[in-house]
Structure formats: C-alpha cells, structure tokens
Amino acid sequence: MSRAHRVAVIGGDGIGPEVVTEALKVVAASGVSLDTTDFDLGGARYLRDGEILSDATLDQLRGFDAILLGAVGTPDVPPGVIERGLLLKMRFELDLYINQRPFSGVAPGHSTPHDFVVIRENTEGPYVGEGGVLRKGTPFEVATQGSVNTAHGVERCVRYAFELAAKRSRKHLTLVHKTNVLTFAGDLWQRTFNTVAKDFPQVATAYNHVDAACIYFVQDPHRYDVIVTDNLFGDILTDLGGAVSGGIGVASSANLNPRRTGPSMFEPVHGSAPDIVGTGKANPVAAILSAAHMLEFLGEARAAEGLRTACVDAPSGSTSQVGTEIASRVAKAAK
Ligand code: IPM
Ligand code: MN
C-alpha cells in the first residue's frame, strides 16, 4: 500500500465541520489512509483573532497533497471578507484554475437521468476584483468591476475541458458565454475554443449563450456532456445545475491545479448554512462526493468509485446517520 496521503482539513464554519467529519468517516471506511491536519480557518476564527489566511498558513497548505474544505462564512462577517480572503485567496495563490462540478440526476419534470460536468474557469473573470469606486456615498458615485480574461488562462481552461470531454463516452463539449454582449472577452473565449478544438477532432462541439443555457439546464439537460465557461457564469450555472440534479445538498466541487504544482482543494458547492447548524439536517453527500473526487485525484480511482457508488440512492436520516450508512456500504464493498 502507498503512503498515507497528506490532507489539510478546513472544516470551516456552520455545517462545514459536520459534513467534513462524515466525509472523512467514509474515506476511512474505504481503506485509503489519510494523514490529516486540521486548520482552524473561516469566519469564526477571523472573529476570534483576526486571521483569515496568512501567508505563513498558506505556505503550510502548499506542502499538502490535497485540501478538504467544508464551508466557510458566517453572517457576523461582512460579505466578501472571508470569501475573498480565504476561498478566493486559495484558488488564486494555489493556482486552482479549474473548478470541476459534476451533475447527475433526474431533473424536475423529466423521467431519465442526465449526466454532465461543468468546467468553470477559477482564477480570472470578474473574480479577480479589478475595478474600484470613486466618490463613494455621493450621488456621483462611480463603481467599476472589470473582468480579466487572459489568453493563457482561457486556453488552459478550455484545453482541460476538451481533454475531459475526449475521455468521456459522448465526447461532446459546449462553450457557454455571452459573446453577443461581452464581445471582447467572448471573442477571446470563442477563438480559443475554436483553436483548441482542432487538437480534438474526436470531440463534437456546441456553443450556447448563458441565458439560453439556463433554459436548457431546466428543459433539456440531456443535451449536455461537458460544459466550459467563465468564472462568474460557472458560479451561477452550477447552482442551477445543483437545483436540477437532486439539490445543492449533493453537489460536489473540485478546485484543481491540474499541473500539480501544489495541492488541489475539494469542497461541496453549498455554503455554511448557519440556520441548520447542529440540527443534523445537513446532507453530507456533497462533501462525500467531493472527497471521492479528491481520492480520484490522489490516484485512488477504485476507492473513489466505491464512494460514488455508495452515494447512489443515499439513505435519509441525520447528518451522521447518512454518513455512517454510506461508510458501511463503502466498507462492505471494499472487503
Ligand atoms: C462557490 C461560491 C463562491 C464563489 C463564493 C463563496 C465566493 O459561491 O464556490 O460557488 O462564488 O465561487
Ligand atoms: Mn457559487
């Protein structure tokens, strides 16, 4: 057996620690050994001593094989502080340029399951925080918020999506953007997409405007196999993807550095849900599926498949009952 994988665990705020506990329980049942180190980060930590994510802590994180995160954010901290200072800082500084979010399930009003993956660019777009404010609080206030799209950043994201599509059975990739309005960024994305497509003649391609894609997610999700899109469109579309695929409680996410120059980070799509903390109502499946992706990325494909299989027809019950039942399915299958 290979050495234990070194995993930094950031339970975070609200239901984060609850769902991460269940994910680790399930991984343990698979027989894969993890050497975990807990990092106390998030809104609660920030309120206690002001640390969000220091450069020293970030350097420590760089030494791990992966990061497993529950959820961060608390209503007591103004919007953006923890998101930008912790989550986005990790995405940017660790160069986690791919955000991969798979969706499978039966959408409301449909009878057959769909199965598609959204590849969201994770280090550029409006998320870089370009812009500023002038004359704040006056009637003459000016606020600008730019979107940064680089040839390099778009190319590596689009190429990753083509590589993924080429490995899947349907071999179909859709670019989602808003090229009819965002003509500068949209043109860069479309040209890059067309150029990279030439290296993947086996992959069929399509283009949808993001507003039309919202309709198709609901009315015809079966048309999709792999979708590639920019950071903000991907953020919005993947919440909708969750809503048509069994809910946000089962939506998993992987923030990947495919070059492996540092750890990748795995987290459920959902937030810290402070309203249900401690009630046992949090669904741990999204965290368990995120851990499955982590195992796959760490080279434990068999165990990852075991976790995914065990999440099909997940049992109902409290957070820990669901985790325990899935863990026992995993343990049984791993024997
Ligand atoms: C997500 C979240 C984050 C995002 C927030 C919390 C910054 O919504 O992971 O989808 O917008 O990327
Ligand atoms: Mn989001």
Side-chain angles (χ1 to χ4, degrees):
M1 193 152 151
S2 55
R3 71 176 174 91
H5 305 283
R6 298 189 60 235
V7 175
V9 177
I10 304 173
D13 300 308
I15 61 169
E18 301 173 17
V19 295
V20 158
T21 299
E22 301 312 313
L24 291 174
K25 191 194 272 181
V26 174
V27 172
S30 77
V32 172
S33 60
L34 299 184
D35 173 3
T36 60
T37 304
D38 281 312
F39 283 79
D40 176 13
L41 295 169
R45 168 73 191 273
Y46 170 66
L47 288 173
R48 210 164 56 246
D49 67 9
E51 159 132 8
I52 304 179
L53 176 63
S54 66
D55 291 341
T57 307
L58 184 64
D59 278 342
Q60 257 178 293
L61 291 176
R62 289 184 206 279
F64 286 83
D65 297 324
I67 302 166
L68 184 64
L69 183 138
V72 293
T74 137
D76 315 335
V77 179
V81 174
I82 304 299
E83 288 86 341
R84 204 155 264 296
L86 179 56
L87 204 54
L88 300 187
K89 186 166 177 182
M90 280 194 286
R91 289 178 183 172
F92 294 157
E93 295 292 328
L94 300 173
D95 206 19
L96 308 177
Y97 63 88
I98 296 298
N99 196 320
Q100 183 162 334
R101 297 183 163 177
F103 298 99
S104 53
V106 178
H110 292 261
S111 52
T112 55
H114 57 263
D115 176 25
F116 63 85
V117 184
V118 176
I119 300 301
R120 161 186 177 190
E121 201 293 319
N122 214 29
T123 54
E124 298 193 343
Y127 277 72
V128 300
E130 194 237 17
V133 63
L134 276 176
R135 302 190 285 265
K136 189 168 179 169
T138 74
F140 307 101
E141 179 164 342
V142 179
T144 63
Q145 193 90 49
S147 172
V148 171
N149 299 261
T150 69
H152 166 73
V154 175
E155 205 267 352
R156 65 185 183 172
C157 174
V158 165
R159 186 168 294 280
Y160 180 90
F162 269 103
E163 282 164 2
L164 178 67
K167 279 188 247 158
R168 289 167 61 93
S169 62
R170 282 176 62 200
K171 305 196 191 321
H172 188 276
L173 177 65
T174 307
L175 171 65
V176 171
H177 208 280
K178 186 76 184 172
T179 55
N180 54 344
V181 173
L182 305 182
T183 51
F184 310 129
D187 183 51
L188 176 60
W189 276 84
Q190 184 72 71
R191 272 184 293 121
T192 306
F193 187 81
N194 297 347
T195 304
V196 177
K198 296 197 180 103
D199 294 339
F200 296 88
Q202 71 277 38
V203 175
T205 60
Y207 170 80
N208 291 159
H209 290 318
V210 64
D211 46 353
C214 291
I215 298 180
Y216 297 141
F217 265 48
V218 174
Q219 294 189 348
D220 184 24
H222 300 95
R223 73 169 56 213
Y224 293 122
D225 180 21
V226 181
I227 291 168
V228 65
T229 191
D230 100 328
N231 206 341
L232 183 59
F233 295 146
D235 175 50
I236 298 165
L237 271 182
T238 54
D239 268 22
L240 184 55
V244 297
S245 309
I248 205 79
V250 299
S252 69
S253 150
N255 299 263
L256 303 176
N257 170 346
R259 300 204 168 103
R260 296 174 185 268
T261 51
S264 290
M265 192 246 289
F266 301 82
E267 53 162 348
V269 173
H270 65 68
S272 56
D275 50 323
I276 58 165
V277 68
T279 62
K281 284 190 190 149
N283 188 347
V285 169
I288 295 169
L289 291 173
S290 302
H293 199 144
M294 178 179 80
L295 293 183
E296 184 189 325
F297 201 73
L298 292 172
E300 305 284 358
R302 247 197 72 194
E305 211 32 56
L307 262 66
R308 290 182 177 129
T309 306
C311 285
V312 176
D313 298 320
S316 51
S318 70
T319 310
S320 72
Q321 283 166 344
V322 173
T324 301
E325 168 59 23
I326 293 175
S328 90
R329 290 180 186 182
V330 165
K332 234 179 263 162
K335 264 195 207 137

